[in-house]
């Protein structure tokens, strides 16, 4: 059976289509639906191109970087390989998916989020008499734009220095770059949760009394302040986590069994417990992850494809543009210990 992926012409222009990534262009030219019921089912268009040029990017039998540059067509795949590996590094150990209510991807630099007040008359489903006006809930556009930040790393290496380097090991460096980018995204998210996104929506801060340590009563009071939301996620600094795990309520056998069996920390209040050094010391952020935070991205991970294809590495920027906005300010609060 003849497959169309074997004859697909690859060129740099596939990276330049507005509104489409390289992988999306490949999928349009070589749809995965054609391969259902075949040995290639389960591979996307990019993975089929790797198979076409017999490029193995991971495992003990991985190829060297030079394999991408044996033909002009195969060289076109190299920037996408880098972008995918960086994204993999960003996703490994990333806790942002456990904090964000929505991820918005758009093309551009100017973005305004929306908000609506929770509680009060705007959220009450009142009895509507015959002929009476139905109560309204107003969704508003935020006054200020979401602050988008460009994050990235410069990949600096000569082709001669890495041409015989195994792709499996080269991927480790790329995943590390992705991990650093994800870390800065998390720091941006924490800053927005605490200080707000510029729309006068800084978090409400609860401070324990002078000399008062963290105890279960303080956690219960903090949890109770989330109505009408629920505190289903608790982001804590390392020192706060140590204090919490020493509380008698956290030494419940069921809590310990859950941690030992799944590796996931939960509080006796039912919130997922996430530790990060991106938080200041003696600080915890409670949030309702369903309503608190929106992540905004201007496109996907960007790689300077010209330099990677024509100059065979040398210097190439790997960047992302992203920002964060509060959806419902009352859905997150800060506890200072």
């Amino acid at each position: 059976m003849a497959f169309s992926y074997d004859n697909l012409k690859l060129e740099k222009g596939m990276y330049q289509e507005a509104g489409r990534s390289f992988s999306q262009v490949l999928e349009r030219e070589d749809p995965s639906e054609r391969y259902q019921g075949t040995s290639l089912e389960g591979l996307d268009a990019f993975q089929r191109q790797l198979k076409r040029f017999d490029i193995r990017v991971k495992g003990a039998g991985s190829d060297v970087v030079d394999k991408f540059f044996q033909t002009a067509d195969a060289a076109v795949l190299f920037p996408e390989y880098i972008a995918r590996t960086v994204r993999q590094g960003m996703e490994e150990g990333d806790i942002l998916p456990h904090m964000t209510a929505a991820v918005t991807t758009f093309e551009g630099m100017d973005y305004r989020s929306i908000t609506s007040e929770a509680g009060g008359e705007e959220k009450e489903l009142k009895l509507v008499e015959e002929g009476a006006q139905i109560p309204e809930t107003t969704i508003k556009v935020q006054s200020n734009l979401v602050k988008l930040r460009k994050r990235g790393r410069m990949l600096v290496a000569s082709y001669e220095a890495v041409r015989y380097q195994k792709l499996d090991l080269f991927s480790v460096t790329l995943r590390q770059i992705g991990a650093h980018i994800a870390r800065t995204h998390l720091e941006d998210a924490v800053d927005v949760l605490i200080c707000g996104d510029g729309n006068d929506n800084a978090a409400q801060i609860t401070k324990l009394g002078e000399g008062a340590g963290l105890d279960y009563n303080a956690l219960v009071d903090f949890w109770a302040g989330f109505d009408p939301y629920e505190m289903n996620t608790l982001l804590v600094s390392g020192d706060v986590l140590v204090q919490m795990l020493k509380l008698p309520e956290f030494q419940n056998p069921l809590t310990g069994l859950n941690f030992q069996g799944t590796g996931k920390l939960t509080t006796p209040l039912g919130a997922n417990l996430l530790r990060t050094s991106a938080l200041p010391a003696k600080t915890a952020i409670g949030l309702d992850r369903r309503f608190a935070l929106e992540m905004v991205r201007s496109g996907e991970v960007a790689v300077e494809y010209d330099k990677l294809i024509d100059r065979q590495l040398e210097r190439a920027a790997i960047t992302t543009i992203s920002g964060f906005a509060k959806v419902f300010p009352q859905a997150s609060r800060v506890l200072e210990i």
Side-chain angles (χ1 to χ4, degrees), residues 281-336:
K282 299 183 179 180
T283 305
I285 299 177
L287 62 146
D288 190 332
R289 63 176 177 271
R290 303 170 301 167
F291 305 109
L293 193 66
E294 176 190 16
M295 182 177 184
V296 182
R297 301 186 303 196
S298 179
E300 300 290 343
V301 175
V303 177
E304 289 185 350
Y305 51 87
D306 278 327
K307 293 182 179 180
L308 290 172
I309 296 171
D310 297 338
R311 303 182 188 179
Q312 300 175 339
L313 281 181
E314 205 169 273
R315 293 175 63 89
I318 302 169
T319 60
T320 64
I321 299 175
S322 63
F324 295 88
K326 280 191 170 183
V327 184
F328 296 101
Q330 300 89 349
S332 61
R333 298 179 62 187
V334 174
L335 177 65
E336 291 186 353

Side-chain angles (χ1 to χ4, degrees), residues 1 3 31-42 48:
M1 180 179 180
F3 295 112
S32 295
E33 291 79 6
R34 297 177 181 174
Y35 300 90
Q36 292 182 0
T38 72
S39 60
L40 299 176
E41 185 176 5
R48 289 192 293 273

Side-chain angles (χ1 to χ4, degrees), residues 20-67:
R20 289 181 182 270
S21 66
F22 179 79
S23 288
Q24 290 172 332
V25 174
L26 277 182
E27 282 290 341
R28 184 192 63 200
E29 300 298 323
D30 182 37
S32 295
E33 291 79 6
R34 297 177 181 174
Y35 300 90
Q36 292 182 0
T38 72
S39 60
L40 299 176
E41 185 176 5
L43 300 180
D44 64 22
F46 176 75
Q47 292 169 328
R48 289 192 293 273
Q49 290 302 311
L50 292 180
K51 181 176 179 63
R52 169 188 175 183
F53 295 104
D54 192 29
I55 300 175
R56 295 181 294 276
V57 298
K58 60 183 178 180
S62 65
D63 289 308
V64 295
V65 173
D66 189 56
K67 192 70 175 284

Side-chain angles (χ1 to χ4, degrees), residues 90-103 178-179 181-193 233 235 274-276 278 287 289 293-297 322-324:
M90 292 174 63
E91 293 166 0
E92 292 174 348
D94 186 16
I95 65 174
L96 275 175
H98 304 287
M99 299 166 50
T100 50
V103 178
I181 294 174
R183 162 72 185 202
T184 57
H185 287 172
L186 178 58
E187 291 172 351
D188 291 342
V190 167
D191 181 68
V192 167
L193 285 172
T233 302
L235 194 67
L274 305 175
R275 179 184 64 176
T276 176
L287 62 146
R289 63 176 177 271
L293 193 66
E294 176 190 16
M295 182 177 184
V296 182
R297 301 186 303 196
S322 63
F324 295 88

Side-chain angles (χ1 to χ4, degrees), residues 232-304:
N232 49 39
T233 302
L234 189 59
L235 194 67
V236 298
S237 58
D239 58 332
V240 173
L241 178 64
V242 171
Q243 292 185 50
M244 292 180 67
L245 293 181
K246 290 181 179 179
L247 296 176
E249 291 79 6
F250 280 76
Q251 298 171 22
N252 183 295
L254 292 179
T255 301
L257 286 174
N258 183 58
F259 175 62
Q260 295 168 15
T262 67
K264 296 181 179 180
L265 287 167
T266 57
T267 72
L269 300 173
N272 289 332
L273 193 57
L274 305 175
R275 179 184 64 176
T276 176
S277 58
L279 268 178
K282 299 183 179 180
T283 305
I285 299 177
L287 62 146
D288 190 332
R289 63 176 177 271
R290 303 170 301 167
F291 305 109
L293 193 66
E294 176 190 16
M295 182 177 184
V296 182
R297 301 186 303 196
S298 179
E300 300 290 343
V301 175
V303 177
E304 289 185 350

Side-chain angles (χ1 to χ4, degrees), residues 203-231:
Q204 179 179 343
I205 298 178
T206 300
K207 296 184 178 182
L208 299 185
E210 186 69 27
L214 180 66
D215 58 21
Y216 193 63
N217 289 336
L219 284 176
V220 170
D221 291 340
F222 185 62
W223 168 83
F226 273 79
D227 185 66
Y229 299 101
E230 66 177 51
M231 188 185 75

